[in-house]
Amino acid sequence: SDRSPVRLRRAWTSGGIYNPKIPRPPAGGVLGMTRKNMTNHGYKKGQTLIEVAAVMGIAVIVVAALVGLGLTAMRSSGYAKSRALSTELANEAIEAMRIKRDSSTDFGGDFTNGCYALGSGHRIVSGMVVCGNVLDCSNFQTYESLKYNISVSDSTNPSGKKVTATVCFTDSAGVHKTVVSTLLTEWQ
């Protein structure tokens, strides 16, 4: 009959009311999960640990890459700042030599070959200084964190002088140079 123990086992309740027309769900419920594979998800022992270790390894690689990228960006930013300052100083040195030429009454006498230094207000100090070694930036004058050398030499133009400003700065990659040259002629 409808109330037999076998029939009761096969029927299930819906809303607390016995309904023999509703078949019992398959073993493991609607999703096919049994008690055995609900506890270990069908994986072998230790497989979850391997997955966690793999995810952690990937996370470490990603974080290391981001840190490396940040360090490279900081280094590049520092280099760009130093390069801009060195170019500015070299151009100011050339401009100071132009001012010296413009205020000079004796171009040939005031523009002797040699090296010069910047003084206060970025004016050329009267008299020459010891020339630095432009190959390794040694014996250069110092301005803030930069080293510079302003040299005057003969040019192919007999009425002019070649003025070269060399500015050096050092960062983690080594020594870098900025060189600006111009030809100053006696224009008065």
Side-chain angles (χ1 to χ4, degrees):
S1 104
D2 285 337
R3 295 276 180 191
S4 70
V6 175
R7 185 77 172 149
L8 286 174
R9 269 187 272 140
R10 290 190 181 156
W12 65 313
T13 58
S14 175
I17 301 171
Y18 171 73
N19 188 348
K21 294 183 179 175
I22 300 175
R24 182 175 180 177
V30 178
L31 300 176
M33 300 294 286
T34 62
R35 182 176 294 279
K36 179 182 177 187
N37 64 12
M38 284 177 68
T39 56
N40 64 10
H41 303 288
Y43 299 117
K44 295 179 181 176
K45 274 189 168 181
Q47 193 167 359
T48 305
L49 182 62
I50 293 171
E51 290 172 349
V52 169
V55 169
M56 292 297 290
I58 291 170
V60 166
I61 291 170
V62 168
V63 168
L66 291 175
V67 167
L69 184 65
L71 290 174
T72 301
M74 286 176 35
R75 233 181 281 125
S76 295
S77 173
Y79 172 80
K81 180 181 176 184
S82 295
R83 176 62 76 188
L85 286 172
S86 67
T87 302
E88 181 180 346
L89 181 61
N91 287 328
E92 286 180 13
I94 295 292
E95 189 60 30
M97 292 303 284
R98 269 195 195 98
I99 291 170
K100 179 176 174 59
R101 177 204 58 191
D102 294 348
S103 63
S104 173
T105 55
D106 181 18
F107 181 77
D110 287 342
F111 268 79
T112 56
N113 292 349
C115 294
Y116 296 84
L118 290 174
S120 62
H122 288 240
R123 298 279 186 206
I124 297 296
V125 175
S126 62
M128 289 188 289
V129 296
V130 175
C131 290
N133 182 351
V134 294
L135 296 177
D136 65 359
C137 302
S138 60
N139 296 325
F140 273 26
Q141 304 298 316
T142 303
Y143 177 79
E144 294 181 4
S145 63
L146 305 172
K147 293 183 174 189
Y148 72 93
N149 191 53
I150 306 167
S151 64
V152 174
S153 60
D154 291 327
S155 72
T156 54
N157 184 340
S159 65
K161 293 283 186 173
K162 180 181 179 182
V163 178
T164 303
T166 305
V167 181
C168 297
F169 65 94
T170 305
D171 66 4
S172 61
V175 177
H176 305 280
K177 295 182 207 172
T178 300
V179 179
V180 177
S181 294
T182 190
L183 176 66
L184 295 180
T185 58
E186 186 175 4
W187 59 278
Q188 294 180 352

